Amino acid sequence: MAGLMDQAKTPLSRLVIALVAIHALPGEELRTIRTTDLNLARSALEVRRGMLRHTLYLEESTHRVACDWLVYRHHRWPASTNPYLLVSQKTALDQDHPVVSRTLLRRSLPKDVTLVGLRQDRILNEAFTAGDPLKLMRLFGITAQTAMCYVAAAYPERTPRLPR
């Protein structure tokens, strides 16, 4: 994690890395987070998942990079009315308020690192540490089936083979 943050050159890159490497947010969710979903006073970020909401409680490092991003964003584009948290030079002042592109998110990561890979590594690391699918479900807002897949990958000896 520290090595990735050291390679990040912009506040946007640092925020993307923190949200994926610590909180395992998928790229599509990153693109649709709104500024109103981030509550720095509560150190919380509410992620919209269809009709459901998943609340992430931000630890100190993510809170700090989120603050840095908001300061940078306001300084760089003070007239931006785009409601999305992550904006680019193209989207910040566009009156249609588009979300940032997938390409921009990919480019914000160091070489040979992908959003999907970073997210999977984070969830798998937690599966190794906790070994508890319920904890994975609560922490990352993933389904029971997905959580069980990660626990089975982390502890194949604990997961019995079901008959086919």
Side-chain angles (χ1 to χ4, degrees):
M1 177 67 189
L4 283 176
M5 288 301 226
D6 291 342
Q7 293 178 46
K9 295 177 175 70
T10 66
L12 174 67
S13 297
R14 286 187 283 281
L15 182 58
V16 168
I17 290 169
L19 291 175
V20 178
I22 296 171
H23 299 283
L25 285 181
E28 284 308 305
E29 287 181 2
L30 284 177
R31 297 175 66 224
T32 59
I33 296 170
R34 295 175 177 265
T35 54
T36 56
D37 297 334
L38 180 62
N39 185 334
L40 291 175
R42 287 184 54 226
S43 286
L45 176 65
E46 187 174 82
V47 179
R48 301 162 192 251
R49 293 182 172 160
M51 298 301 288
L52 302 174
R53 302 286 185 264
H54 178 69
T55 303
L56 304 174
Y57 296 98
L58 308 178
E59 82 302 332
E60 185 181 338
S61 62
T62 304
H63 186 275
R64 187 179 62 252
V65 296
C67 287
D68 293 346
W69 167 248
L70 288 176
V71 167
Y72 175 83
R73 178 191 160 141
H74 180 69
H75 178 72
R76 178 90 190 260
W77 304 289
S80 177
T81 58
N82 191 315
Y84 294 105
L85 179 64
L86 303 180
V87 294
S88 67
Q89 185 172 347
K90 290 182 180 179
T91 65
L93 300 174
D94 189 329
Q95 60 192 14
D96 292 331
H97 307 307
V99 297
V100 292
S101 68
R102 291 176 187 91
T103 304
L104 178 79
L105 293 180
R106 277 194 301 267
R107 287 183 184 161
S108 67
L109 297 174
K111 277 187 175 180
D112 301 326
V113 176
T114 66
L115 291 170
V116 172
L118 200 53
R119 179 175 190 264
Q120 290 172 344
D121 286 350
R122 173 63 181 109
I123 298 171
L124 187 58
N125 180 272
E126 193 64 38
F128 274 116
T129 303
D132 180 2
L134 290 176
K135 182 174 181 182
L136 298 179
M137 291 167 63
R138 276 188 246 121
L139 189 59
F140 303 119
I142 58 178
T143 65
Q145 183 178 2
T146 301
M148 286 304 297
C149 287
Y150 278 100
V151 171
Y155 295 100
E157 70 281 357
R158 285 195 212 165
T159 311
R161 296 252 183 235
L162 297 175
R164 295 188 196 261

